């Protein structure tokens, strides 16, 4: 049976072609190599041309090409065989080494000085001494039989060196990242020209594995790496926390909370701990998480504000650091369903006093962080371009903000009566100017703040946009709207981080506010009593810790600023 090899120089393929009329090769040389016994070769320049037999010179050139391909094939085959032989040799060599390594048993030398047990952060006091440290293998490198380990214990990082017998044990040859180990040895300065965390390294004379970590498919780096999908990162949050960036953010969070407490207590605010299980709303019933509490209806708190107000007559100005919960189906980068809420309440103040206080606490807290060498280094590593805010903060009224947005061409989507976005041509939202009475959207608010480029107090919001308990501003002639003594502190890159207001101090006005919002006053009897037994002018605020941390650490989303973030659809791990 005669065979014909077809070659189409424009539409054929040397990698997938079979030399048939339907699947031709692309080059004559490859056709000769693939089908050297073909009775006929037919070639064309493009799919529109006719197949013709190649010239003698073309065939001569094609045969040389085929010979070259054959040589390359044989060379590759030989290299492959050598590679397999080398791999087999290496495997055999490693297996022999592993078997030999099982005979080496390390025993701590009792004749050496007793090792001082210490955390990595304490090691600077023990240079040139024998120390004992515990931790996890953060990095691992084998260099010509010398094993370098970067150990992590939560307080810092330490380079350790295993050589000689310590690097020849079975545990040394099978050690994997994230194994927990005990290392004993002499702490020495790093040799000149070399670098290591802290400027010293541990020369190990005894060590052991306390908890191994798997390799192969279950290896830490196979389960988690910088290219992992966000959903995988969320599922493996417990492993993500071991990373340097994530742990630095959480470490900075700890320093931030300490700094806040230092600043607040220096201004004579006392920390209290309100309940999380409540039977009253603060920020509107639509965002409550409801639950059954021994047969009664109860909720997870939206805010501890009402309870803080009850503390003023007995404890004076107070604050709390408490979890708050909002059942908003919001997936923005600054929203969480559970967040850490730093709230303060102050008595016998004015609205100006309140904004001055918030400004002071923010600036003092940042100053404390930047003064402390540890927290300042964390900020520098996470956010090299961070600049402390300068005082005073810009203050813009709500009405001025509406004018500013329209002047700068920042518009918002038109909504119908049900709150649905109205769309026009090409299914794009219809954009309109802002009007007094509009709730300024997060995007517009953040855009304005980013353009201004520094912290901004937005104040004096219409009552229709704010909570029932907020105190009204005096009426403005020619404006029938009622505005509140309320404020939001906006930070570039994040948006709102603080919301505050003066509270209604008159009992009749508060009762009227209950009725206006359709709230049953009975469950609030204890809150109403604050106006009955010695009322006073007072105000307070709530600060989102994760949002402020996102600003300090230059994180794109507040989800990176929580230990185990919760948002709609995510309550694991």
């Amino acid at each position: 049976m005669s065979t014909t090899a077809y070659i189409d120089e424009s539409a054929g393929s040397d990698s997938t072609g079979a030399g048939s009329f339907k699947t031709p090769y692309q080059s004559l040389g490859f056709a000769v190599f693939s089908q050297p016994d073909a009775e006929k070769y037919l070639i064309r320049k493009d799919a529109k041309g006719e197949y013709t037999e190649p010239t003698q010179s073309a065939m001569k050139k094609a045969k040389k090409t085929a010979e070259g391909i054959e040589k390359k094939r044989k060379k590759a085959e030989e290299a492959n065989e050598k590679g397999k032989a080398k791999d087999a040799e290496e495997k055999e060599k490693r297996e022999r080494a592993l078997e030999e390594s099982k005979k080496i048993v390390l025993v701590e030398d009792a004749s050496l000085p007793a090792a001082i047990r210490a955390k990595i952060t304490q090691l600077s006091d023990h240079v040139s001494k024998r120390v004992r440290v515990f931790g996890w293998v953060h990095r691992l490198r084998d260099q010509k039989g010398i094993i370098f380990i970067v150990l992590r214990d939560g307080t810092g990082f330490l380079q350790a060196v295993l050589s000689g017998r310590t690097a020849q044990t079975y545990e040394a040859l099978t050690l994997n990242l994230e194994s927990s180990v005990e290392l004993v040895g002499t702490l020495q300065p790093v040799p000149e020209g070399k670098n290591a965390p802290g400027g010293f390294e541990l020369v190990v004379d005894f060590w052991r594995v306390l908890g191994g970590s798997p390799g192969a498919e279950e290896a830490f780096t196979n389960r988690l790496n910088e290219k992992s999908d966000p959903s995988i990162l969320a599922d493996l949050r417990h492993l993500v926390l071991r990373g340097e960036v994530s742990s630095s953010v959480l470490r900075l969070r700890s320093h931030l909370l300490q700094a806040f407490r230092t600043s607040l207590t220096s201004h004579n605010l006392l920390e209290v701990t309100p309940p999380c299980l409540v039977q009253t709303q603060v920020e509107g019933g639509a965002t409550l998480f409801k639950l059954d509490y021994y047969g009664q209806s109860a909720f997870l708190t939206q805010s501890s504000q009402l309870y803080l107000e009850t503390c003023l007559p007995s404890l004076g100005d107070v604050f709390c650091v408490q979890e708050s919960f909002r059942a908003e189906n919001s997936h923005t980068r600054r929203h969480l369903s559970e967040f850490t809420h730093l709230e303060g309440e102050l008595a016998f103040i004015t609205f100006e006093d309140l904004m001055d206080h918030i400004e002071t606490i923010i600036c003092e807290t940042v100053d404390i962080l930047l003064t402390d060498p540890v927290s300042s280094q964390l900020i520098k590593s996470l956010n090299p371009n961070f600049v402390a805010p300068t005082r005073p903060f810009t203050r813009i009224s709500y009405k001025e903000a509406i004018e500013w947005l329209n002047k700068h061409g920042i518009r918002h989507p038109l909504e119908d009566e049900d709150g649905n976005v109205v769309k026009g041509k090409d299914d794009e939202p219809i954009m309109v100017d802002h009007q007094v009475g509009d709730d300024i959207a997060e995007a517009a608010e953040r855009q304005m703040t980013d353009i201004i480029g520094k912290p901004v107090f937005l104040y004096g919001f219409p009552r229709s946009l704010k909570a029932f308990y907020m105190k009204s501003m005096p009426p403005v002639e020619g404006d029938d709207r009622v505005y509140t003594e309320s404020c939001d502190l906006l930070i570039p890159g994040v948006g709102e981080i603080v919301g505050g207001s003066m509270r209604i101090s008159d009992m009749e006005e508060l009762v009227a506010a209950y009725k206006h919002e359709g709230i049953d006053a009975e469950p609030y009897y204890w809150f109403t009593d604050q106006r009955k037994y010695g009322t006073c002018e007072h105000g307070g605020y709530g600060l989102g810790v994760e949002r402020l941390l996102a600003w300090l650490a230059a994180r794109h989303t507040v989800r990176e600023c929580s230990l185990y973030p919760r948002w709609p659809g995510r309550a694991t791990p």
Side-chain angles (χ1 to χ4, degrees):
M1 177 177 161
S2 63
T3 57
T4 301
Y6 290 88
I7 302 96
D8 187 323
E9 293 183 338
S10 64
S13 173
D14 289 342
S15 57
T16 61
S20 66
F21 184 82
K22 290 184 177 180
T23 56
Y25 297 120
Q26 186 180 34
S27 67
L28 181 59
F30 191 80
V32 173
F33 165 75
S34 300
Q35 294 182 229
D37 298 327
E39 293 184 2
K40 186 186 293 185
Y41 297 95
L42 294 178
I43 187 169
R44 64 183 178 184
K45 293 291 183 183
D46 56 63
K48 294 180 180 179
E50 293 289 332
Y51 278 108
T52 60
E53 291 190 34
T55 63
Q56 287 186 349
S57 61
M59 282 300 299
K60 186 176 180 181
K61 186 177 179 182
K63 288 177 181 179
K64 285 185 178 180
T65 301
E67 289 172 1
I69 295 174
E70 176 64 16
K71 286 179 182 179
K72 287 182 180 180
R73 185 193 68 78
K74 287 182 176 180
K75 191 174 182 180
E77 195 175 81
E78 289 172 3
N80 186 45
E81 289 299 321
K82 286 181 181 179
K84 287 181 179 179
K86 186 176 180 181
D87 288 345
E89 185 181 343
E90 289 291 332
K91 183 180 179 182
E92 185 181 348
K93 183 179 178 181
R94 177 171 174 75
E95 288 176 352
R96 285 200 306 268
L98 285 174
E99 284 302 314
E100 288 298 315
S101 70
K102 292 177 182 178
K103 301 175 184 177
I104 301 174
V105 179
L106 293 183
V107 178
E108 187 170 358
D109 191 342
S111 67
L112 294 174
I116 302 166
R117 178 169 176 166
K119 295 285 189 182
I120 292 175
T121 191
Q122 303 167 330
L123 290 180
S124 58
D125 296 331
H126 304 300
V127 177
S128 300
K129 297 178 183 177
R130 194 162 177 265
V131 298
R132 186 185 309 273
V133 292
F134 298 83
W136 289 263
V137 178
H138 188 67
R139 291 197 185 94
L140 183 63
R141 177 167 55 96
D142 189 335
Q143 186 174 318
K144 296 180 180 179
I146 298 176
I147 297 175
F148 293 88
I149 293 173
V150 173
L151 190 74
R152 181 189 74 240
D153 74 348
T155 72
F157 298 90
L158 169 67
Q159 179 170 289
V161 182
L162 277 60
S163 60
R165 284 173 59 81
T166 61
Q168 296 166 3
T169 64
Y170 183 78
E171 289 76 12
L173 299 182
T174 58
L175 187 62
N176 291 312
L177 291 177
E178 294 304 321
S179 299
S180 57
V181 295
E182 174 187 359
L183 304 178
V184 184
T186 304
L187 193 66
Q188 296 182 350
V190 176
E192 189 174 344
K194 303 292 183 180
N195 293 309
F200 42 73
E201 63 184 11
L202 186 69
V203 179
V204 176
D205 59 61
F206 172 78
W207 75 285
R208 59 183 178 134
V209 174
L210 302 177
S213 181
E217 291 183 3
E218 280 293 298
F220 186 84
T221 50
N222 285 337
R223 294 195 67 192
L224 189 69
N225 57 62
E226 58 185 18
K227 295 181 181 179
S228 295
D229 184 88
S231 63
I232 294 176
L233 295 177
D235 288 339
L236 300 181
R237 179 67 177 169
H238 59 294
L239 300 181
V240 171
L241 297 178
R242 301 185 182 207
E244 292 177 36
V245 173
S246 295
S247 59
S248 292
V249 171
L250 294 177
R251 200 174 299 281
L252 179 58
R253 178 188 170 107
S254 174
H255 284 275
L256 173 61
L257 292 174
Q258 291 178 47
F260 264 127
R261 286 186 166 98
T262 299
S263 179
L264 288 162
T265 54
S266 73
H267 288 276
N268 299 310
L269 274 77
L270 185 73
E271 184 171 5
V272 294
T273 309
C276 281
L277 288 171
V278 301
Q279 292 185 304
T280 51
Q281 68 182 52
V282 182
E283 300 297 330
T287 63
L288 286 167
F289 282 108
K290 190 174 182 180
L291 53 92
D292 179 84
Y293 186 69
Y294 300 106
Q296 302 178 58
S297 291
F299 315 101
L300 294 175
T301 185
Q302 300 165 313
S303 166
S304 298
Q305 175 212 317
L306 306 188
Y307 294 96
L308 293 183
E309 288 190 45
T310 68
C311 298
L312 295 177
S314 57
L315 302 176
D317 299 342
V318 291
F319 76 96
C320 71
V321 181
Q322 180 69 284
E323 296 303 288
S324 284
F325 305 84
R326 303 281 172 89
E328 296 177 86
N329 191 19
S330 179
H331 294 264
T332 76
R333 60 190 179 95
R334 70 173 193 174
H335 280 91
L336 291 170
S337 299
E338 176 186 359
F339 65 97
T340 302
H341 211 175
L342 188 150
E343 299 182 84
E345 205 71 25
L346 301 94
F348 304 106
I349 61 169
T350 65
F351 186 36
E352 290 296 322
D353 293 336
L354 176 64
M355 287 191 284
D356 287 343
H357 168 83
I358 294 170
E359 182 178 301
T360 297
I361 296 301
I362 294 292
C363 290
E364 286 185 358
T365 298
V366 171
D367 287 344
I368 291 170
L369 291 171
L370 294 177
T371 301
D372 180 83
V374 176
S375 55
S376 64
Q377 181 56 42
L378 287 169
I379 293 174
K380 185 177 180 180
S381 64
L382 292 165
N383 187 3
N385 299 319
F386 180 77
V387 177
T390 56
R391 302 173 65 181
F393 292 171
T394 300
R395 298 185 184 187
I396 302 176
S397 72
Y398 165 83
K399 292 174 69 175
E400 290 171 337
I402 294 292
E403 294 175 4
W404 191 98
L405 290 168
N406 290 336
K407 181 180 178 181
H408 288 77
I410 298 173
R411 312 176 89 198
H412 71 98
L414 177 66
E415 295 182 353
D416 60 24
E417 294 180 356
D418 297 323
N420 299 313
V421 174
V422 179
K423 296 183 178 180
K425 293 181 180 180
D426 301 323
D427 205 34
E428 291 293 323
I430 296 175
M431 305 300 288
V432 295
D433 286 342
H434 288 81
Q435 295 181 359
V436 174
D438 289 343
D439 189 1
I440 301 174
E442 173 193 341
E445 198 176 66
R446 191 169 63 242
Q447 195 173 350
M448 179 181 70
T449 312
D450 290 348
I451 291 172
I452 294 173
K454 56 184 179 179
V456 175
F457 271 117
L458 199 57
Y459 69 90
F461 294 90
R463 170 158 295 287
S464 60
L465 302 178
K466 289 297 178 180
F468 74 90
Y469 52 77
M470 294 187 178
K471 184 179 177 64
S472 297
M473 284 182 163
V476 177
E477 188 175 344
D479 191 341
D480 294 334
R481 293 184 184 276
V482 178
Y483 298 91
T484 56
E485 290 189 336
S486 58
C487 63
D488 289 345
L489 178 59
L490 314 177
I491 294 288
V494 179
E496 179 194 344
I497 62 166
V498 181
S501 76
M502 295 298 291
R503 320 308 194 189
I504 293 174
S505 58
D506 180 78
M507 187 165 70
E508 290 184 6
E509 187 180 347
L510 179 61
V511 171
Y514 290 145
K515 291 180 180 178
H516 183 270
E517 295 295 326
I519 296 173
D520 181 6
E522 178 57 30
Y524 294 84
Y525 71 93
W526 51 275
F527 180 67
T528 310
D529 272 356
Q530 303 308 307
R531 281 78 181 164
K532 183 177 181 180
Y533 295 96
T535 190
C536 72
E537 294 297 324
H538 63 288
Y541 57 93
L543 178 147
V545 171
E546 289 83 4
R547 291 185 183 183
L548 184 62
L549 182 57
W551 171 57
L552 286 170
R555 297 299 94 191
H556 177 70
T557 169
V558 293
R559 296 176 184 180
E560 297 180 60
C561 300
S562 173
L563 184 63
Y564 285 98
R566 301 294 187 239
W567 65 87
R570 170 64 63 177
T572 54

